[in-house]
Amino acid sequence: MKKILAVASGGGHWVQLMRLRPAFVGEEVTFMTTNAGYAQDVGNALVVVEDASLWEKIKLVKMFLQVAWCVFRLRPDIVITTGAAPGFAAIVFGKAFGARTIWIDSIANSEELSMSGQKARRWSDVWLTQWEHLARPQGPEYWGGVL
């Protein structure tokens, strides 16, 4: 059984992550998000971190520390995220602790990759876009369909 840390910000990022749940059947999954209300979706398998953006530096530092602690404590085999900031932090720390990392850029980013998605390239073992026209030979890849 693999330990998976599945990470998403709120809103559409979370909805897309929930659509991936069938892929996690039979594995030990911990979900991470910024909204405690999502416990209704995953029960006690939820870790809640600070909601932050680039424009909220103190909150961003707090969120990065919370994510780092969670990754250190859980030691996941795989980190998968649909974005945004908490997902980027999880990819960075997951990679540092030896996890395989998967970034799936949000379907909302149909014209260009998200800022977090662009930065995630360096830390991602698998780097995906949900839009075929955004795929490039050097990545991100498009594997078909949207979440």
Side-chain angles (χ1 to χ4, degrees):
M1 185 177 341
K2 297 279 187 193
K3 289 192 290 185
I4 298 173
L5 177 60
V7 186
S9 296
H13 295 282
W14 182 256
V15 170
Q16 291 173 65
L17 187 66
M18 291 297 95
R19 290 179 181 165
L20 290 171
R21 287 178 77 183
F24 308 147
V25 172
E27 307 298 346
E28 181 183 331
V29 184
T30 301
F31 292 90
M32 178 186 290
T33 190
T34 56
N35 185 333
Y38 294 147
Q40 68 188 7
D41 297 331
V42 297
N44 63 358
L46 186 70
V47 173
V48 180
V49 297
E50 186 77 33
D51 191 8
S53 70
L54 285 176
W55 300 272
E56 303 168 302
K57 302 297 185 201
I58 293 174
K59 284 184 172 185
L60 194 62
V61 169
K62 181 178 178 183
M63 183 269 302
F64 263 76
L65 292 172
Q66 290 172 329
V67 172
W69 176 247
C70 180
V71 171
F72 173 76
R73 189 174 45 84
L74 293 174
R75 303 288 175 128
D77 299 303
I78 300 167
V79 175
I80 185 167
T81 183
T82 54
F88 175 73
I91 289 283
V92 169
F93 294 117
K95 191 70 169 170
F97 284 101
R100 297 278 298 161
T101 56
I102 304 168
W103 178 275
I104 304 170
D105 211 48
S106 174
I107 192 174
N109 301 310
S110 62
E111 300 300 318
E112 62 184 6
L113 290 176
S114 67
M115 186 182 310
S116 294
Q118 292 172 34
K119 293 182 182 303
R121 174 185 188 183
R122 176 177 175 198
W123 308 97
S124 301
D125 293 305
V126 176
W127 183 43
L128 301 174
T129 177
Q130 295 188 62
W131 296 101
E132 188 172 11
H133 66 276
L134 293 179
R136 302 286 180 266
Q138 69 279 12
E141 295 179 55
Y142 172 76
W143 287 3
V146 295
L147 297 175

